[in-house]
Amino acid sequence: MSECTHDCSTCASKGNCSSEIQKEKLNEHSKVKKVYGIVSGKGGVGKSLVTSLMAVTMMRRENRVAIMDADITGPSIPKMFGVKSEIQSTSEGLVPAESKMGIQMTSVNLMLDNETDPVVWRGPVIAGLVKQFWTDFIWSDVDYMFIDMPPGTGDVPLTVFQSIPLDGIIIVTSPQELVSMIVAKAVKMAQLMNVPIVGIVENMSYFKCPDCGKEIKIFGNSDIDEIAKKYDIANVARIPIDPNIASIADKGAIELFEGDWLEAMADAIEK
């Protein structure tokens, strides 16, 4: 038997394979136009931050936006938006919480008695919950949904790629020597799943001196442009190390961020 590439569209066993997963259907009362995954080959690079900033950027362009927090064991989206309301249940389905700006969202942290309670579940259970985020919630007339994915290429990212109709992904990385390997893992998984890559966001790219305005490359010079060229990725964005971003995220006020780092990425998505 040949090795499975997870690309069911070109497989000789299509329709006859026990591992083949069909796209899940939205709740009949939902409407979602475009869906983008925020991914990385490793953790700690700022996927949740980029997810939040992209959502706010698109909301400021007068779009209706939603966030699915699929990082079940490390959820942080509600915290950054200051959202603590519980998920409501109706006869038609579950109703997402909303931020102050009106960004719809769901996260396991909105379902726990205490947001600091750990989620100690097996992979299949976690993957099943992510599917329910898509099928059981009433997403109201959403123009753009962003999915904050867990790091790596395990059960949950695979479930999202196979079960939810993604229009593209944004890869998040940091300016370190491991960046090439991190990006390569995410790129290859996207290629296997036939999902377009919108662009790469380099988080913690530099620190801008508040006195002289000089950009200081704390982690050294990155080769993100060369990597993007290697994998034919057109869009590259850079987010600086900014104490103000950390402060408003900790205060649950990420919607107040100031910066145009992701405008070009937003342009690419709208086009």
Side-chain angles (χ1 to χ4, degrees):
M1 180 181 292
S2 61
E3 182 180 355
C4 179
T5 65
H6 305 294
D7 180 6
C8 299
S9 64
T10 59
C11 182
S13 300
K14 180 175 173 60
N16 246 342
C17 175
S18 60
S19 65
E20 185 173 351
I21 300 175
Q22 301 299 321
K23 299 295 184 185
E24 298 291 334
K25 292 183 179 180
L26 270 174
N27 181 294
E28 62 179 336
H29 302 287
S30 294
K31 183 179 179 181
V32 180
K33 295 178 182 177
K34 298 287 183 178
V35 185
Y36 293 90
I38 313 298
V39 308
S40 178
K42 70 181 292 293
V45 296
K47 282 182 291 67
S48 298
L49 175 65
V50 172
T51 302
S52 301
L53 297 184
M54 279 302 313
V56 175
T57 298
M58 299 306 290
M59 193 74 178
R60 289 175 179 175
R61 295 182 174 214
E62 299 184 356
N63 295 295
R64 291 183 62 83
V65 180
I67 298 176
M68 181 193 296
D69 190 353
D71 194 354
I72 305 299
T73 59
S76 56
I77 293 297
K79 171 73 174 176
M80 285 197 280
F81 283 88
V83 174
K84 296 182 179 179
S85 57
E86 296 181 356
I87 299 297
Q88 301 298 313
S89 177
T90 71
S91 59
E92 297 175 338
L94 300 172
V95 180
E98 285 195 7
S99 71
K100 296 179 181 67
M101 282 180 64
I103 295 175
Q104 301 172 51
M105 65 180 66
T106 186
S107 172
V108 72
N109 257 16
L110 299 174
M111 302 176 178
L112 300 174
D113 292 332
N114 190 323
E115 65 178 12
T116 59
D117 290 344
V119 177
V120 189
W121 298 344
R122 297 283 187 182
V125 177
I126 295 174
L129 179 60
V130 171
K131 287 183 183 180
Q132 287 182 290
F133 282 171
W134 179 252
T135 61
D136 293 6
F137 277 76
I138 303 172
W139 300 104
S140 179
D141 198 22
V142 174
D143 294 313
Y144 297 98
M145 173 183 282
F146 295 97
I147 302 180
D148 183 11
M149 307 256 266
T153 55
D155 282 346
V156 177
L158 184 59
T159 294
V160 173
F161 272 104
Q162 289 187 320
S163 303
I164 297 176
L166 291 175
D167 292 279
I169 65 166
I170 295 172
I171 299 171
V172 184
T173 187
S174 58
Q176 296 165 307
E177 290 185 8
L178 289 173
V179 64
S180 181
M181 179 186 71
I182 295 166
V183 173
K185 286 180 181 291
V187 167
K188 290 177 180 179
M189 186 170 190
Q191 290 172 341
L192 285 174
M193 300 293 117
N194 290 324
V195 177
I197 300 170
V198 177
I200 303 176
V201 177
E202 183 179 76
N203 189 31
M204 300 177 285
S205 183
Y206 58 90
F207 174 76
K208 193 168 186 176
C209 176
D211 296 323
C212 67
K214 180 180 179 181
E215 292 185 0
I216 302 169
K217 306 292 181 64
I218 292 178
F219 294 104
N221 293 321
S222 76
D223 55 354
I224 193 70
D225 290 317
E226 289 77 10
I227 294 169
K229 184 177 180 180
K230 176 181 178 181
Y231 293 107
D232 197 25
I233 299 172
N235 303 293
V236 175
R238 293 174 172 82
I239 299 176
I241 298 172
D242 188 342
N244 292 325
I245 297 178
S247 177
I248 60 174
D250 288 343
K251 293 175 182 177
I254 196 64
E255 289 168 307
L256 300 179
F257 91 91
E258 297 179 0
D260 59 357
W261 316 293
L262 298 176
E263 293 296 332
M265 200 70 66
D267 288 341
I269 286 177
E270 287 190 333
K271 290 176 183 177

